[in-house]
Amino acid sequence: LLSAKNVSMNVRIADADFAWNKRTVHGTKMSAAYWVVRTVKDRVIRIEYNTTTNKGVAVYEEGATAPVVFADEHEEFVRDNLHIQFVGKKLRVRTDKWEMSATKSPFPFPHLNRGKILLDIEIVALYDADSDVVAPHGIFGQAYDGDKMAIDGAVDSDRGTVSTTKAQAEGAIEGTWTDYKMESKFSTSFKYTRFDATSAKHRDVSKLAGARHASSQSGGKGLSIAV
């Protein structure tokens, strides 16, 4: 989702069948989130949070024999410029430049999808990411491209009684969705990686086929992108 200098956020996409009012949808959900953060003191921290366990968040430090695990909002993990804590039901991972969160939430129409959980994700730049010499990338991160325009990708239009989702944000992302697949949950390398970059240009918006309209956001600082 986000690849920026010293910060990477991945998610696991899982198949999910669910009821949508009177329809049955064969689709997907975000079921886990993974971060890799290199702190200002060059420490690499890996973070895992998923919907399949009640153990909370697991934080892995280089050289440690076991992860730090906690699920209480009164606990906080701090290393240099990295802060990890629960704010209510929301797990917040924050650096000096990025605030990212993952919240376990019920599916829409929860009375029809009892016991089914997904992750709601939010990513906010705390600085002018549009002007960074290392332009962010990833499914979400590439939106910080400095053009103040929103681009709509493909969406599913099948409203039959039973449907299968097919849209993969075509038209709104650089390349195709397969360019964003990671080899492992904590991998930082892919076609548009920025984690170790010293400079990187914005995506080439001219190559995107999606419909364009003025963004409701004013630019880098405080821009929130949620799913």
Side-chain angles (χ1 to χ4, degrees):
L1 295 187
L2 174 66
S3 181
K5 180 67 174 178
N6 296 323
V7 175
S8 177
M9 181 180 182
N10 300 338
V11 293
R12 182 172 70 227
I13 304 298
D15 292 335
D17 296 333
F18 53 93
W20 188 276
N21 198 1
K22 297 180 180 181
R23 300 167 50 219
T24 297
V25 178
H26 304 300
T28 59
K29 66 173 184 177
M30 288 186 283
S31 63
Y34 311 98
W35 292 264
V36 181
V37 177
R38 182 188 290 121
T39 74
V40 292
K41 292 187 178 180
D42 211 32
R43 289 189 272 204
V44 176
I45 311 293
R46 294 172 174 83
I47 307 149
E48 178 175 1
Y49 186 58
N50 65 66
T51 60
T52 61
T53 177
N54 293 321
K55 295 181 180 180
V57 60
V59 183
Y60 301 84
E61 294 188 81
E62 288 184 311
T65 57
V68 175
V69 179
F70 63 94
D72 193 301
E73 64 178 310
H74 300 294
E75 297 181 74
E76 183 177 11
F77 180 96
V78 179
R79 291 293 183 274
D80 309 328
N81 60 321
L82 171 64
H83 298 254
I84 306 168
Q85 68 178 145
F86 283 94
V87 180
K89 295 182 178 180
K90 177 185 294 186
L91 173 66
R92 186 176 68 189
V93 177
R94 183 185 178 110
T95 70
D96 53 319
K97 291 187 175 182
W98 295 96
E99 183 173 308
M100 302 152 286
S101 66
T103 306
K104 292 182 182 180
S105 303
F107 272 67
F109 301 98
H111 63 291
L112 300 176
N113 298 289
R114 297 187 187 280
K116 294 186 177 182
I117 302 295
L118 51 75
L119 282 183
D120 283 326
I121 301 297
E122 186 173 9
I123 299 173
V124 180
L126 304 177
Y127 74 116
D128 184 8
D130 294 80
S131 301
D132 199 327
V133 294
V134 180
H137 215 289
I139 295 290
F140 285 11
Q142 64 187 280
Y144 292 94
D145 57 17
D147 68 353
K148 295 182 173 59
M149 295 293 293
I151 301 177
D152 297 332
V155 295
D156 289 294
S157 58
D158 186 348
R159 297 295 182 265
T161 304
V162 179
S163 62
T164 300
T165 58
K166 298 178 182 178
Q168 300 287 354
E170 296 92 342
I173 59 172
E174 194 166 28
T176 66
W177 70 271
T178 56
D179 294 328
Y180 299 84
K181 292 182 69 174
M182 297 295 196
E183 291 186 359
S184 64
K185 59 187 180 183
F186 292 126
S187 177
T188 61
S189 297
F190 70 111
K191 185 174 181 178
Y192 304 109
T193 185
R194 301 294 197 256
F195 191 78
D196 294 310
T198 55
S199 65
K201 295 180 179 179
H202 294 131
R203 64 182 177 179
D204 187 349
V205 180
S206 68
K207 295 182 179 180
L208 303 182
R212 290 165 166 74
H213 54 91
S215 173
S216 60
Q217 302 290 348
S218 59
K221 189 173 182 180
L223 177 61
S224 172
I225 305 172
V227 158

